[in-house]
Amino acid sequence: MSAYSRGVQGLDSGQLLLICAAGLLTVAGIANTAAVGLAEPQVAIGFGALIAAGELARLTMPGNREVAPISTAAALGYALLLDVGGVPATHSALQVVAVLAVGMIAGGLPHLAVGRAPRLDAIARRLLSGSLLAFAFRPLADVLRPGPGQAWWVALGVMVVLVALMLAADVVIASMLRAEQVRTAFGVAIRDETRMAAPLGAAVAASGILLALASHSMDMTALLAFAAPLLVTQVAFRKYAGIRATYLQTIRALARVTEVGGYVEPGHSRRVSRLAVAIGRDLGMAEPELLELEYAALMHDIGQLSLSDPIPGGATVLTDQAQARRIAELGAEVIRKTGVLGRVAEIVRRQCDGLDEHPPTASRIIKAANAYDDLVSGSTDRDRAAAALERLRLDGGNEYDPEVVKAMANVVDRLAPVNRL
């Protein structure tokens, strides 16, 4: 199966709708440009080439978010362009759509050629965002273009307002898609997307506006002048994303030590982690909290390495409370020695606390998720899952948070039919 086919099969209804809308815009833009001719061909080709280069250098940020800062800044600059070297820019909004689409396709082909599945929804979002800005700004270009000796403040103000509205619309679209994909509340998705988009979005927006304004005096050299700082920013973000991915892989490898040593069943830590994160999303936890929850869930049993006699099957739910607390405290001490996971260590330490001790929500989630997996052992049998959930409900009160157990029931019911756990 090709990378393209795999990418299409994994799409949900919201993504498909977004891609269809972008596809219709692309057809309309290219058809109109072919019919009326390409205005300012050199300018269009220059911006199109920069968009293609940006798509070629796109990167994946935490949360599996695909971004292309250089491409997006070039798209904004072309949509907001008033003139190039004093020569008025007369291209239409549909030509902006055509240049964006051709540039994105050209930049995406090398990825497709080496077998990287295209993120069609991310490409469609970038195209729609640039198109919305173009349709809002291009009709105003002739009015906003300053004459000789006139100030640019009015044009700059309109650009800032429209770009801010475009970014807000993009965040809303991204939040709607993410809420559907990861099964979280729309309000939580809005908060997470805003937090993730703010730093890079501000830099890209400022670069796009400055690129449009600088083209007045710098001509086409503005493309290279403003691509350089964006490239440096992109390299920094790529390193950050790479470090974070490596960090998570290291923690996952560390979590497998208990499995390799025979202290817990194979796959236990990963199953508890996935279930815990799904419960956290159902409860509306923010993305930074979910990351800490994932780390803690992966390493929640690492204290078992201190045991001379492993617990049968590693099922701490079947051991006495004193030993379970000792395992949690020893695991927290190991994690705390890293010097950078203090909050994660505290979550692990308090995973055995009763509700009257007011443990963190993440600790309550891990306690319930660990008990559930100890009882079902990775089985997908619905009767066994129902029995485990019923036992957790009956053992509630001071042991398991009823809200967490309720959220777990929602998650298990949602995921069991497709065997994701």
Side-chain angles (χ1 to χ4, degrees):
M1 185 183 294
S2 69
Y4 177 81
S5 299
R6 291 194 300 270
V8 171
Q9 288 184 357
L11 298 174
D12 56 40
S13 57
Q15 292 172 307
L16 288 173
L17 183 62
L18 184 72
I19 292 167
C20 288
L24 291 174
L25 262 179
T26 298
V27 172
I30 293 177
N32 179 265
T33 303
V36 303
L38 189 66
E40 299 100 33
Q42 290 184 339
V43 176
I45 292 172
F47 275 91
L50 185 58
I51 291 169
E55 290 294 325
L56 187 61
R58 63 179 182 250
L59 66 152
T60 302
M61 296 295 289
N64 199 30
R65 295 175 174 88
E66 184 185 275
V67 296
I70 295 177
S71 173
T72 305
L76 297 184
Y78 191 55
L80 298 173
L81 199 62
L82 292 175
D83 63 36
V84 178
V87 178
T90 60
H91 57 275
S92 66
L94 283 173
Q95 179 168 312
V96 173
V97 174
V99 171
L100 263 60
V102 172
M104 289 177 177
I105 292 171
L109 288 177
H111 288 279
L112 191 60
V114 296
R116 297 193 188 101
R119 287 293 306 276
L120 297 179
D121 58 326
I123 294 174
R125 262 184 55 209
R126 292 196 289 275
L127 178 66
L128 284 176
S129 297
S131 301
L132 287 173
L133 181 62
F135 283 115
F137 185 82
R138 294 317 305 168
L140 305 175
D142 291 336
V143 178
L144 295 173
R145 187 179 300 112
Q150 292 182 334
W152 286 73
W153 294 111
V154 174
L156 176 60
V158 173
M159 289 179 182
V160 170
V161 170
L162 290 181
V163 168
L165 291 174
M166 182 216 72
L167 291 176
D170 184 63
V171 166
V172 170
I173 294 173
S175 302
M176 293 172 65
L177 294 176
R178 192 160 188 82
E180 184 175 1
Q181 290 166 12
V182 301
R183 303 285 185 171
T184 190
F186 179 68
V188 175
I190 281 278
R191 180 182 60 196
D192 289 338
E193 290 301 318
T194 301
R195 182 184 292 113
M196 294 299 298
L200 187 58
V204 169
S207 298
I209 293 173
L210 291 174
L211 176 58
L213 296 177
S215 297
H216 169 72
S217 56
M218 297 178 65
D219 208 321
M220 294 298 290
T221 56
L223 292 175
L224 296 177
F226 284 89
L230 270 176
L231 183 60
V232 173
T233 303
Q234 180 160 325
V235 169
F237 273 98
R238 188 182 294 277
K239 286 184 177 179
Y240 164 71
I243 290 171
R244 181 163 162 173
T246 302
Y247 204 60
L248 181 57
Q249 289 170 1
T250 302
I251 289 176
R252 284 174 175 167
L254 182 61
R256 290 195 68 243
V257 172
T258 53
E259 300 175 14
V260 174
Y263 289 89
V264 299
E265 291 189 350
H268 171 73
S269 297
R270 180 66 65 88
R271 291 194 302 271
V272 171
S273 173
R274 289 176 178 174
L275 179 57
V277 171
I279 294 170
R281 284 201 178 101
D282 197 83
L283 291 174
M285 294 178 70
E287 208 157 301
E289 297 171 320
L290 288 174
L291 184 62
E292 290 181 347
L293 174 60
E294 182 176 10
Y295 287 168
L298 284 169
M299 297 188 291
H300 75 282
D301 267 336
I302 201 168
Q304 291 203 42
L305 294 174
S306 63
L307 301 178
S308 56
D309 296 317
I311 300 171
T316 53
V317 72
L318 303 178
T319 190
D320 63 88
Q321 187 72 5
Q323 187 176 31
R325 282 181 180 270
R326 178 171 172 268
I327 291 171
E329 289 172 358
L330 290 172
E333 187 60 30
V334 171
I335 297 169
R336 194 174 286 111
K337 287 181 179 179
T338 63
V340 293
L341 293 174
R343 289 172 60 89
V344 173
E346 183 65 10
I347 292 171
V348 171
R349 186 183 72 83
R350 302 197 62 187
Q351 65 179 302
C352 295
D353 288 0
L355 296 181
D356 57 347
E357 298 174 84
H358 307 291
T361 301
S363 299
R364 303 181 190 190
I365 292 173
I366 291 174
K367 182 176 185 178
N370 174 67
Y372 175 84
D373 194 75
D374 281 346
L375 294 171
V376 302
S377 300
S379 171
T380 58
D381 182 80
R382 296 183 66 88
D383 292 335
R384 189 170 180 178
L389 288 170
E390 185 61 24
R391 174 170 174 175
L392 295 183
R393 290 192 188 98
L394 294 175
D395 289 346
N398 192 45
E399 284 298 314
Y400 303 105
D401 188 334
E403 291 298 319
V404 171
V405 175
K406 180 180 178 181
M408 182 191 298
N410 294 337
V411 170
V412 170
D413 184 62
R414 185 167 67 237
L415 299 184
V418 292
N419 194 22
R420 292 185 184 175
L421 295 180

